[in-house]
Amino acid sequence: MFKTKKRVDASDVIYFVFIYLFIIVTCIVMLYPFIYILSVSISDTDSVMRNEVLLWPKGINWSAYETVLNYKGMIVAYGNTIYYTVVGTFLSLLLTTLAAYPLSRKNWKLRNFAAIFLAIPLWFGGGMIPFYMVMRDLHLLNSRMGILLYAAISTFYIIIVRTYFESLPKEIEESAKIDGASDIRIFLQMALPLSKPVLAAIGLYYAVGKWNSFFWELILLSKEQFMPVQVLLVRIIRDSSFDKEMEKALVQSSGVLPITIQYAAIVITALPIIMAYPFLQKYFVKGVMIGAVKS
C-alpha cells in the first residue's frame, strides 16, 4: 500500500502563520515593558540619561538595587508582604474550600439559600466609606489581622471550587460512607487530595492578588511597620523618591537616578511572584477549566 501525502490547503497555512505571528507579537508587547524596566534598572546612569536603553542594558550598575535594599523600610515591608501573602493565601483557601464543599452537596437543605447569600456581594457592595467605618469599629485599622480579613474570600473562586467538587466521582463518596466515613473525613482525605489542581490554581490567584494589593492597604494602614512592599512602591513611583532621608542619600550617592530606583523597586517587588508561575503552571488548565466548565 502506497501512502498518499495529505494535501495542505493554502488557507490553513495562512491561518497558522497569522496565529503564530499574532502570538509572537502579543508576547513581545507583554514582555517588552518588563524587559525595559529591568534593563534600565541595571544600566549605566549616562546611558539612561541619554535615553540609549531601548531593550538590552548598556553597562552594568547595581547601585539602584543596593539603594533600595539598604533602605530601612524595605526589609520590613518585604516581610509584611510575605506574611500577608502566605498566611492570607492559606486562610483564603481554607475559607473557600469550607464554603464550597457544603455548597456542592445536593442533599444540604440550605444549599440554595447559602448560594444566593454568597452571590449577593457579586452585584452589591457597601462602598468605601461604610467598609472603612466597619473596619474601624471592629478595631482592625493598623493591624495585620485587618489586612488578612478584608479580602479573605472571593465568591467567584467559591463557585469554581464548588463546581470542581461537584465533578468528583460520586462513587468514591458512596463507598466511603458505606465504610463508615464521616463527611469531615471524606472532605479531608478524599475531596481535598483529589482537588489539588483547582486548589493550586485558585491559590496562586489568591497569592498574586494579595502580593499586588495596595489600595486598601493605603486606606487601612497608617503605621509603617504594617505596610506591605506595594505601598512602599506606590510612594516611590508617586514621589520619585522614598522620603527626605532617601532623597539626601541619592544626592550623596554616585550617579543613582530616581527613575532607576523606581524601576529597581518594581523588579524587586514583581520578581518573586513571577517566579512562582512556572512551578504551578501545569495546574492552570486542568484546575480552572474543569472547575469552570463542568456543572
Side-chain angles (χ1 to χ4, degrees):
M1 297 294 295
F2 294 97
K3 294 182 179 180
T4 58
K5 294 183 179 180
K6 185 178 180 180
R7 183 174 177 272
V8 180
D9 194 355
S11 60
D12 294 337
V13 175
I14 296 174
Y15 171 78
F16 283 109
V17 169
F18 173 79
I19 291 298
Y20 281 116
L21 286 177
F22 177 78
I23 293 175
I24 292 173
V25 172
T26 303
C27 291
I28 293 175
V29 171
M30 295 177 63
L31 291 176
Y32 177 75
F34 187 78
I35 295 175
Y36 175 77
I37 290 174
L38 179 62
S39 300
V40 171
S41 66
I42 62 176
S43 294
D44 183 73
T45 303
D46 296 334
S47 300
V48 175
M49 294 181 63
R50 292 194 296 265
N51 294 324
E52 295 179 353
V53 181
L54 298 178
L55 182 61
W56 304 114
K58 293 191 175 182
I60 302 298
N61 186 0
W62 299 99
S63 300
Y65 288 91
E66 294 177 0
T67 305
V68 172
L69 294 176
N70 289 332
Y71 178 60
K72 63 179 182 179
M74 178 59 68
I75 302 300
V76 176
Y78 226 98
N80 290 332
T81 300
I82 295 174
Y83 175 81
Y84 295 145
T85 302
V86 175
V87 179
T89 301
F90 174 79
L91 179 63
S92 297
L93 282 177
L94 177 64
L95 296 177
T96 300
T97 53
L98 290 178
Y101 186 74
L103 291 174
S104 66
R105 305 299 92 187
K106 295 183 179 180
N107 57 351
W108 186 35
K109 295 181 180 179
L110 298 178
R111 181 187 181 214
N112 294 332
F113 172 78
I116 295 174
F117 181 79
L118 290 174
I120 290 176
L122 289 175
W123 292 281
F124 303 100
M128 183 186 301
I129 296 177
F131 179 78
Y132 178 84
M133 295 174 64
V134 170
M135 298 293 288
R136 181 197 61 188
D137 295 340
L138 293 176
H139 304 286
L140 292 176
L141 300 180
N142 288 316
S143 68
R144 291 186 173 89
M145 185 58 65
I147 301 302
L148 294 177
L149 293 179
Y150 87 86
I153 199 166
S154 171
T155 303
F156 178 72
Y157 294 153
I158 291 176
I159 295 174
I160 293 178
V161 178
R162 180 204 65 181
T163 309
Y164 193 94
F165 283 145
E166 291 177 347
S167 68
L168 297 178
K170 299 297 184 293
E171 292 79 7
I172 298 178
E173 180 181 355
E174 293 174 356
S175 62
K177 287 185 176 180
I178 293 175
D179 293 337
S182 62
D183 291 333
I184 296 177
R185 185 176 180 182
I186 294 173
F187 171 69
L188 294 176
Q189 298 184 358
M190 295 184 178
L192 288 183
L194 293 174
S195 304
K196 288 181 181 179
V198 71
L199 294 181
I202 297 302
L204 183 60
Y205 291 149
Y206 270 127
V208 172
K210 295 178 186 303
W211 184 277
N212 293 327
S213 179
F214 70 92
F215 178 76
W216 283 109
E217 283 75 3
L218 282 171
I219 296 176
L220 300 177
L221 300 176
S222 59
K223 297 182 179 180
E224 293 186 359
Q225 62 264 33
F226 300 128
M227 291 183 179
V229 70
Q230 298 297 340
V231 175
L232 195 61
L233 178 60
V234 171
R235 291 183 174 182
I236 296 172
I237 296 176
R238 182 182 60 191
D239 300 334
S240 297
S241 61
F242 295 93
D243 50 25
K244 295 299 180 181
E245 180 182 350
M246 180 55 60
E247 195 173 334
K248 182 179 178 181
L250 289 177
V251 175
Q252 296 176 351
S253 61
S254 57
V256 181
L257 298 176
I259 189 172
T260 60
I261 293 181
Q262 294 177 10
Y263 287 174
I266 292 174
V267 173
I268 290 175
T269 54
L271 192 60
I273 203 67
I274 292 176
M275 294 174 62
Y277 273 100
F279 297 99
L280 297 174
Q281 185 180 6
K282 61 181 180 180
Y283 294 113
F284 285 172
V285 175
K286 184 177 179 181
V288 176
M289 292 302 294
I290 291 178
V293 175
K294 285 191 176 181
S295 60

